[in-house]
Amino acid sequence: MSAPVRWRSTTFAYPGGPTVLDGVDLAVDEGDVVLVAGDSGSGKSTLLRSTNGLVPHTSGGRFSGDVMVGERSTRDNRPRDLADVVGFVHQDPEAQFVVDRVEHDLAFSLENLGVDGSTMRRRIEEVLDALGIAHLRHRSPGTLSGGEKQRCAIAGALAAGPAVLVLDEPTSMLDPQGADDVLAAVARLNDDLGTTVVMSEHRFERAAPLCTWSVLLDAGRVARCGPPADVLVDHPGAPPVTHLGRLLGWVPPPLTVRDARAHARRDPTLAGALGEARPGPGQGSGSGAGRGPETAGGSVLVRARGLAVAPGRQVVLSSVDLDVHEGEVVALLGRNGSGKTTLLRALAGLLDPRAGIVQRDAPVAYVPQDPGALLFAPTVRDEVMQTRRLLRRASPTAPGALPRRARRGRASRTVEPGAARADDAALVAAWLDRLGLQALAARHPRTLSTGERQRVAIAAVAVGGAPVLLLDEPTRGIDAASAAALERCILEHAGGAGAVVLATHDVELAARCATRVVVLGDGEVVADGPARTVLAGSLFAPQVLRVLPPFLTVAEVTSALATGAAAPARVAGTPGATAPARVAGPPGATAPARLDGTEPS
Amino acid sequence: MITSDRTDVPALHSLAWLAWALAAAASVQIAPSPLYVAVVVAVCLAVVMVHRRPEPAARAFPVLLGLATTFVAVRVVLTVLTVHGSGGAGVLVRLPQITLPRLLGGFAVGGAVSWSVAWQAAAEGLVVVGVMAAFGAFNAVASPHELLQRVPRAFHEPALVLSVALAFVPATMEAAAAVREADRARTAGQAVRRGRLVRQVVPVLETGLERAVHLAESMDARGFGRAAPAPGEQVAAWVGLAGTLSLGGALVALVGRASTVALLLGGAGLGCLALAVAFASVGWGRSPAYRRRATDRRDRLVALAALAAPVGLVVFDRLGDGSLRWRAALPLRPPTLHAGPVAALLLLAAPLLVAPGGNRGAAPGQEAGR
């Protein structure tokens, strides 16, 4: 049986650009689910787009070697000629719909392929069921949630009955619920129909367990390929439990929480090695995990009281009380539509409250979810510099102007009308460094990957020197290296007398860098407290906590191992056995309470 | 089986909506008196409120109305400046008068501005607002795809491209709002006017362009434009070209005052175009479209009721009802409203009797529940 897709020494460079794919030799077996991993710019997207000939037919550029889909080469077949064998789904669920009705959009490719009417009807019923979207058939794609949109887009690619389904980061723009739905649908397709799936993902927590094969790309070459556990084990984007397993010497390293719990149960030396069952204080990640709002030393920078916001006619937030203190990293969690973005926009003064007040004692800057809304300059450095220029042009007497900070003795971060350009250049360079953008400084922001763009947007806003930074989904669709740079930057900013508020779906991010977690539900604050307390009581606790409570992050386990002494009985017991009970049980079971008592502040 | 009571299917077929919109636009032309136009605009507003589709595309209605109003305001100003009333009585204000150089037309600008000219211009402008309201409402309530399925196949692809392009209008509006907000947030709320246009226009254009490229790739990957043109389409293309050329020839002949030649060429051109459409639409077919929606009794009733409105107005016009038109002649008399024409116009409100989309007892609901 021939492989559905085979790359033969494929080399490719975009017009006027460097080599992106460098002699790729790869074959995908029928019925496999292949995960293509790699850092930003390693050529993942290009590899996927070469499957149906979008590279090089749409992109242009230098192409050598060959990509065979079944018996057909992409050299002689345009993407539209391969539409019956390769289904392609883009990262952005918005930009894939042609028709304003879901079932008619599914029919689009069938109509193009000239399938007769009765076959068309049958195929559409089948894909509607295969993806579980039969109830959405009469809806308009514009009114669906992100996860629903992406499932409809996959159905649209699948309607023509392709042998291979190519998904380019299908979940990076989705919330966890939507991502789960999409991946579950993909797994079911593979099980039921035997469709071969090739997909790329930055975050492996969800995707890795369902993959049968994985490929790690590095600078356009296949660095490694094999079963996901072997290939991904030391990749920074691997799930936290994998890192934990590697740290504790579990073989094979686990990919799922369930595997990790089994290891933890079997590991007799674990309890002794972990020493005291409390996370070490002070290390970079989770550094302030025990500090609550009442113990945070800093003064209040932003204060919301009884805040209600109703943009349009619908009430999105009601009676929200929130204080943001100096030195805090506040993570806003909550499902889609719970009001996270609205709260950030209200705190930033972009929405007028319907009731209540927002009192800003320091300038507040906001980075929107889509960095594309911000970027206009021709180079990254220029983009970041623009903010400084804008601030110098701004009238210094405007209400809430930045110079207020000057009185607090932070001259280096303020804007004074006569400030020298050299200062600005140094500040810009510092932020580029901090976010790992120095190497990209001369590139056009629009040519960067999602993660890189996000970092540019954050640098461009943060360089203005506003002490309070509001970040909306800063880790959406970004790779592990970008996320790490971002986390360092967030901690550094909060440490330097600033405060950061993150709206995020990423519990791991919250576990690693938040000092405080606020959970929103239906426009109201349903939980507000130190990160450890709130996360421990949550059904969506971070992975490490679910395996080895009360540790939140791998870093905490590392430092516990380093300082390991006598083992208290509780952790020495069966963490695997207690964890499910705690996850299912009411918030604030014994462990968090005990922890708060012992946590040094 | 998951069932859902929610559908985004409009209550009426797009053809019914098209008939309704054409009837509304025609009524505005037949009864251009400001009061009747106001009735039509009010009916359009009510229809949009009840039947608006949930998609962002439907949000363009107020924008279109605003656009029309701006156009009318500009028109009134220009008319008032360039058209001079009889002078004497009814002068609103006297402006300094300038005569433009011959190169620019050599007419006088400014001078005495009369009431009647201003009123007349505003009343004529209101007709434009009425037509815009009718088509804006059509855009907000009808599904472009249903119309697309009814387009002769020769025009299917251009029409598809057009409908996709139209979908970018609301996306661009959203992007513009996001960019404006991001710009404000970047400087922590301080407004910087200089260079604001570049800062706000470039990201909107770039975002739009990126999305267009993504959509094009997605359409390409789903086989759009894959089928080689059928023989009928090739014939249609040549016949269509011949038709266009002869129409061009007819125009030249008209300019040259050769009316017989112009008539012949024009007839031939129109004939060729009709043939082209026929060639492209008949036979040699690709497959039928998926589940083309059929018009039902309700669609036909609404369409008939709506079309009866302009017919009724024509009847009243023939019967000599003077209230349909209004001239802002001196001495000014306010426009009047008669019961007959108002009743005719209220036929345009027939869609309000139909339950809005999604609650349709028949087709889509059953389909979803099956």
Side-chain angles (χ1 to χ4, degrees), chain A residues 49 52 54 58 78-84 86 88 90 92 94-101 103-109 111-117 120-121 124-125 132 134-135 137-140 142-143 156 345 349-350 363-366 368 372-376 383 386-387 390-391 393-395 398 400-402 444 446 453 460-461 466, chain B residues 1-4 6-10 53-56 142-146 148-149 156-157 160 163-164 175 178-192 194-195 198-200 202-204 206-207 210-211 213-227 286-293 363-365 367-368 370:
Chain A
R49 288 152 51 85
N52 68 343
L54 282 174
T58 309
R78 297 163 299 172
R80 63 195 80 158
D81 303 322
L82 292 167
D84 53 335
V86 183
F88 184 87
H90 198 270
D92 181 2
E94 303 278 338
Q96 309 182 51
F97 295 99
V98 183
V99 181
D100 62 350
R101 193 88 45 81
E103 61 173 349
H104 288 281
D105 192 74
L106 302 189
F108 180 71
S109 55
E111 286 171 351
N112 288 326
L113 294 175
V115 175
D116 68 276
M120 208 186 295
R121 293 285 310 248
I124 286 174
E125 297 304 321
H135 59 299
R137 66 188 306 163
H138 298 294
R139 296 280 297 276
S140 157
T143 63
R345 289 167 65 201
L350 297 169
V364 175
Y366 166 72
L374 204 66
L375 308 176
F376 69 97
E383 188 72 59
Q386 279 294 343
T387 309
L390 291 177
L391 284 171
R393 275 179 207 162
S395 103
L402 299 196
H444 190 286
R446 293 268 166 184
R453 272 189 207 194
V461 171
Chain B
M1 173 84 206
I2 310 162
T3 58
S4 163
R6 170 131 192 224
T7 74
D8 295 331
V9 180
R53 282 180 303 138
E55 291 102 286
S143 156
H145 179 65
E146 281 168 13
L148 195 61
Q149 287 190 324
H156 185 269
E157 288 195 359
L160 179 70
S163 79
V164 167
V179 165
R180 233 181 357 257
E181 198 175 281
D183 187 51
R184 252 174 83 196
R186 179 179 201 152
T187 50
Q190 298 184 67
V192 184
R194 225 171 98 192
V198 176
R199 292 203 306 280
Q200 299 194 350
V202 171
V204 172
E206 285 183 333
T207 305
E210 264 172 16
R211 288 193 58 176
V213 170
H214 289 162
L215 182 64
E217 282 184 352
S218 173
M219 287 172 74
D220 198 3
R222 289 166 75 187
F224 181 69
R226 161 185 167 120
R286 271 177 283 160
S287 60
Y290 172 75
R291 289 181 48 155
R292 186 180 290 181
R293 178 175 176 179
E367 209 76 54
R370 221 161 40 199

Side-chain angles (χ1 to χ4, degrees), chain B residues 83-91 112 114 116-117 330:
Chain B
V83 176
H84 309 288
S86 49
V91 170
S114 80
S116 71
V117 170
L330 293 172

Side-chain angles (χ1 to χ4, degrees), chain B residues 106-135:
Chain B
F107 51 82
V109 173
V113 174
S114 80
W115 274 107
S116 71
V117 170
W119 278 116
Q120 189 63 37
E124 282 166 11
L126 197 60
V127 173
V128 177
V129 174
V131 172
M132 198 62 139
F135 282 96

Side-chain angles (χ1 to χ4, degrees), chain A residues 148-284:
Chain A
E148 289 171 335
K149 273 185 198 158
Q150 195 62 294
R151 278 189 287 158
C152 292
I154 292 176
L158 207 64
V164 185
L165 184 62
V166 179
L167 309 171
D168 188 2
E169 297 190 19
T171 67
S172 69
M173 313 274 260
L174 306 182
D175 59 296
Q177 191 54 53
D180 278 345
D181 288 349
V182 166
L183 290 175
V186 170
R188 198 146 64 106
L189 282 180
N190 179 252
D191 277 352
D192 294 354
L193 309 177
T195 312
T196 307
V197 179
V198 183
M199 64 182 198
S200 63
E201 270 295 338
H202 277 311
R203 311 291 303 282
F204 310 145
E205 280 108 294
R206 290 185 188 81
L210 69 95
C211 292
T212 54
W213 197 254
S214 61
V215 177
L216 184 64
L217 286 183
D218 183 27
R221 293 168 205 262
V222 176
R224 236 181 293 163
C225 72
D230 302 342
V231 171
L232 305 177
V233 61
D234 54 355
H235 190 271
V241 283
T242 309
H243 290 297
L244 184 70
R246 207 156 57 93
L247 179 70
L248 298 173
W250 293 340
V251 181
L255 278 178
T256 62
V257 172
R258 195 195 335 191
D259 293 350
R261 279 201 192 119
H263 276 296
R265 238 174 280 143
R266 283 197 304 266
D267 193 342
T269 59
L270 180 61
L274 277 176
E276 288 181 63
R278 74 188 156 95
Q283 68 268 53

